[in-house]
Amino acid sequence: MTLPSYTTTIINAIYFIAAILFIWGLKRMSSPRTARNGIVWAGAGMAAAIIATFFLPGIHNLGWMLGAIIVGVGLSWWVGRRVPMTAMPQMVALFNGMGGGAAAAIGAVELIRLNMALAAATLVPNTYPIQPEAWAKAAAVPTLSPVEQVLAYIGVLIGAVSLTGSLIAFAKLQGWMDKRFVFPLQRWVNLVIFAAAVVCGVLALIAGLEGHAFAWGLLVAFLGLTLVFGIAMTLPIGGADMPVVISMYNAFTGLAVAFEGFVLQNEAMIIAGMVVGAAGTLLTQLMAKAMNRSLGNVLFGNFGAGGAGTQQQEIAGALKPIDAADAAVMMAYAERVAIVPGYGMAVAQAQHKVWEFARLLIERGVKVTFAIHPVAGRMPGHMNVLLAEAGVPYDLIADMDDINPQFPNIDVALVIGANDVVNPSARTDKGSPIYGMPILDVAKAKNVIVIKRGRGKGFAGIENALFYADNTRMLYGDGQAMAGELVAGLKTLDA
């Protein structure tokens, strides 16, 4: 079917509108109140871009495209409906990895097409067991410009790393493998893998730029090594660093999509990839800052190795337990209570019981606030998502900068599942692995109650000085069970 000459102009106009919808949707996602609406706007932009792409001149295999879309939409809808909010970090990591893998696959296919075209143009067809028609078809494939070839290789490298790195992050978050896997000289091994991948890619690139077909082994080695490097780079990273990891791989995926958009000369891919890459990079910087790490340390250092550090300051005091009934009484007669959730709350799936307890306190006239650390949980905004899923109103949620000045006036701070993000050693112990990391100033509250399953240390592998403070009491037990006992304790008071 011959399309009108102005079709490309219309398609580009639709891509421009889609770009506006992407940016508007991202803007709306910046607030929990408008995030759902922002997702709808961004989704509408993506739908428009996909539909417009079907009408691009020279598009083939429409049946395969439709089939892939139907399967992808069906699977994502089914998974999205079934996955609980507590497993949202895993799903984000998995879907992000699929995006990076798709970008890498696009680049790989274009490089394969390029090599076939170069081979057809430079070799004698009759000397190979390939039909002359196939050689002629390969020779007719437009070759990539030097810039497009460079971007194709970079896109494959970044996309492949994002794919396997995100899959390892998914496996760790899902509990299928150890949080950290460390062995001697690991950094040097990773460096050798990366260097080998770059060398294979550069050799193949040089051959392509000179108009020669490169050896298939170079391309296979390049793809394989980039996939292995993504695994190797993620293995030593612990669960506490997952917010940085997820946002970093999100940026990688966006950049890979943008690079392959240049290769395909597809404006929608370029714009969407750049938006995702920019947003992911900014988020990575914010997460790194919240953990007192530079972006360079996140990308090239052995982040996640905090456990290697040792405390220099001795912690005075003793752990002082409290039972749920007494803790409920203490908070029932308080004026202000701050609830500090962490990853332990997500593991225990205690957010609903915690919100039920908070509602009972509010009904008694207690002013309740939920205090959120930027990197609490396993992905950016993890605690916000869990609290929203439980029905906690947005105006009861305060971020670290807003709540920290208020802690001296808070009667009781209830910590459930948080550890390193409330550890005062980050401010006082220069020998601590977490020294300098911004924390919630829970220790300044008049009283602190910590719900903790046992006496174990946090991810950083150090004792929490907060737990030994004079104003702290430990409520040992499963987060959901202890929240339930607090609820029962309040109801007993009202009976």
Side-chain angles (χ1 to χ4, degrees):
M1 180 180 65
T2 302
L3 297 174
S5 59
Y6 53 79
T7 300
T8 302
T9 301
I10 295 175
I11 292 174
N12 288 335
I14 294 175
Y15 283 165
F16 179 73
I17 295 172
I20 295 176
L21 292 176
F22 292 155
I23 297 172
W24 175 247
L26 188 63
K27 170 65 176 176
R28 302 286 289 175
M29 290 181 210
S30 62
S31 170
R33 297 181 183 275
T34 58
R36 184 188 297 269
N37 180 263
I39 292 172
V40 172
W41 281 110
M46 182 58 69
I50 291 173
I51 293 173
T53 301
F54 277 92
F55 295 93
L56 280 174
I59 289 294
H60 304 289
N61 301 319
L62 295 181
W64 285 102
M65 293 170 63
L66 284 172
I69 290 174
I70 292 172
V71 172
V73 170
L75 282 175
S76 60
W77 179 270
W78 181 76
V79 172
R81 297 285 294 181
R82 289 177 58 88
V83 172
M85 284 295 180
T86 50
M88 195 59 62
Q90 293 94 302
M91 190 177 77
V92 170
L94 182 62
F95 284 2
N96 180 68
M98 295 301 101
I106 291 172
V109 168
E110 291 303 311
L111 292 175
I112 291 172
R113 282 159 51 90
L114 169 68
N115 198 51
M116 290 183 64
L118 293 173
T122 59
L123 300 179
V124 180
N126 294 333
T127 61
Y128 293 85
I130 301 178
Q131 295 297 322
E133 294 81 3
W135 284 105
K137 184 177 180 180
V141 174
T143 58
L144 302 176
S145 69
V147 173
E148 290 170 345
Q149 290 184 48
V150 172
L151 293 179
Y153 279 101
I154 296 176
V156 171
L157 172 64
I158 298 175
V161 170
S162 178
L163 169 63
T164 52
S166 296
L167 291 179
I168 295 299
F170 166 81
K172 290 185 176 185
L173 292 169
Q174 192 68 14
W176 292 353
M177 62 184 301
D178 292 338
K179 293 180 180 180
R180 294 180 62 228
F181 181 79
V182 182
F183 56 86
L185 301 178
Q186 190 167 26
R187 290 185 184 179
W188 290 104
V189 172
N190 291 355
L191 181 60
V192 169
I193 296 172
F194 179 74
V198 171
V199 168
C200 291
V202 169
L203 291 176
L205 173 62
I206 292 174
L209 293 176
E210 293 178 348
H212 304 298
F214 49 83
W216 288 105
L218 286 175
L219 182 58
V220 172
F222 173 67
L223 290 172
L225 289 169
T226 53
L227 292 171
V228 171
F229 179 69
I231 296 173
M233 189 173 75
T234 315
L235 283 177
I237 302 173
D241 287 322
M242 281 304 149
V244 181
V245 175
I246 292 175
S247 59
M248 182 180 69
Y249 284 143
N250 183 59
F252 280 10
T253 294
L255 291 175
V257 170
F259 289 148
E260 303 305 350
F262 279 105
V263 174
L264 296 181
Q265 299 181 14
N266 186 288
E267 292 82 357
M269 288 182 63
I270 296 172
I271 295 171
M274 293 303 293
V275 169
V276 173
T281 300
L282 179 60
L283 185 58
T284 301
Q285 291 177 321
L286 293 174
M287 293 299 103
K289 181 179 179 181
M291 300 182 74
N292 194 39
R293 288 191 175 96
S294 66
L295 184 57
N297 180 263
V298 170
L299 291 175
F300 307 111
N302 188 16
F303 61 109
T310 57
Q311 286 174 286
Q312 294 183 349
Q313 294 182 355
E314 293 292 333
I315 299 178
L319 297 174
K320 299 168 282 295
I322 190 174
D323 59 42
D326 290 340
V329 170
M330 182 184 298
M331 286 181 278
Y333 294 101
E335 292 185 7
R336 298 191 63 185
V337 170
I339 300 176
V340 182
Y343 184 61
M345 186 188 76
V347 172
Q349 300 185 31
Q351 62 269 23
H352 293 281
K353 277 295 181 182
V354 169
W355 172 228
E356 181 182 356
F357 175 68
R359 287 203 313 269
L360 292 175
L361 288 177
I362 293 172
E363 291 173 2
R364 295 180 62 89
V366 179
K367 184 177 180 181
V368 177
T369 304
F370 287 83
I372 307 297
H373 191 280
V375 295
R378 290 299 179 266
M379 73 174 185
H382 191 188
M383 293 299 104
N384 301 73
V385 171
L386 291 179
L387 295 178
E389 187 256 349
V392 178
Y394 301 131
D395 56 1
L396 295 185
I397 300 175
D399 61 27
M400 181 176 64
D401 293 334
D402 292 334
I403 193 64
N404 269 350
Q406 302 178 35
F407 272 113
N409 297 320
I410 289 174
D411 297 298
V412 183
L414 175 64
V415 179
I416 173 169
N419 197 320
D420 298 327
V421 297
V422 297
N423 192 340
S425 296
R427 297 192 186 280
T428 60
D429 186 358
K430 293 184 178 181
S432 171
I434 63 172
Y435 179 74
M437 184 180 83
I439 60 169
L440 290 164
D441 291 330
V442 173
K444 295 181 180 181
K446 298 175 183 176
N447 296 281
V448 180
I449 297 174
V450 179
I451 298 179
K452 203 171 185 300
R453 182 184 293 273
R455 297 172 181 261
K457 303 175 182 179
F459 168 75
I462 60 175
E463 292 286 358
N464 192 332
L466 174 69
F467 301 164
Y468 295 84
D470 293 337
N471 61 336
T472 299
R473 299 294 182 270
M474 306 297 295
L475 179 55
Y476 291 111
D478 175 77
Q480 185 172 169
M482 291 302 99
E485 290 192 20
L486 290 175
V487 169
L490 283 184
K491 291 182 177 179
T492 300
L493 292 177
D494 295 332

